[in-house]
Amino acid sequence: KIQWKNTVLEPTDLVAGRYALGAAFSAQNLAFENDRLLLALDVVYEPLVDALSVRGGLEYTLFFFSLRAGAVWRPEMPWAFTFGAGVKALSLRLDMALVQNREIHVEGAGDTLVLSVALLF
């Protein structure tokens, strides 16, 4: 619960709890030296809104380049997928992902392309 102070009504809002159970598996040096495969799966339940989801994904990394794919399943909703790629070069990180929107059905809400750049120092 969040209790707001210094407002006209001082309302109390409920915050949805989230319970997750997951597992991951990682393997290295599969096809090449210095490659890595990561598989992950989790189940998430939010009791306040009675929402259940199952999420899974995989990432394959070879030296400085990574490819990713993932999926989310929710009851009575179509599957949602995501695809991405990343590059690491010295202290620079570039990442791109396409995330499908399957939940918000209003004009202008669609799939999202996420681009990120990080400089580590």
Side-chain angles (χ1 to χ4, degrees):
K1 293 182 178 181
I2 297 177
Q3 285 189 307
W4 301 97
K5 298 292 184 186
N6 298 327
T7 62
V8 178
L9 301 175
E10 297 189 358
T12 298
D13 292 330
L14 295 177
V15 178
R18 175 179 280 186
Y19 301 96
L21 177 65
F25 170 78
S26 178
Q28 296 181 348
N29 301 324
L30 297 170
F32 302 97
E33 191 174 332
N34 295 322
D35 72 345
R36 183 186 67 155
L37 179 67
L38 177 65
L39 302 169
L41 180 71
D42 65 15
V43 177
V44 178
Y45 179 65
E46 297 177 65
L48 185 63
V49 292
D50 194 28
L52 175 73
S53 64
V54 179
R55 305 178 302 185
L58 63 96
E59 176 183 68
Y60 179 73
T61 301
L62 181 60
F63 299 107
F64 60 89
F65 183 70
S66 296
L67 289 174
R68 294 178 209 89
V72 177
W73 173 83
R74 290 182 177 89
E76 301 176 15
M77 298 205 65
W79 284 80
F81 296 96
T82 183
F83 307 95
V87 176
K88 294 180 184 179
L90 300 174
S91 61
L92 182 65
R93 308 291 191 259
L94 303 171
D95 198 77
M96 178 184 72
L98 176 65
V99 181
Q100 285 186 321
N101 170 36
R102 300 291 191 188
E103 296 183 23
I104 302 171
H105 301 286
V106 296
E107 185 178 339
D111 299 341
T112 304
L113 180 63
V114 180
L115 301 171
S116 65
V117 177
L119 181 61
L120 306 177
F121 56 93

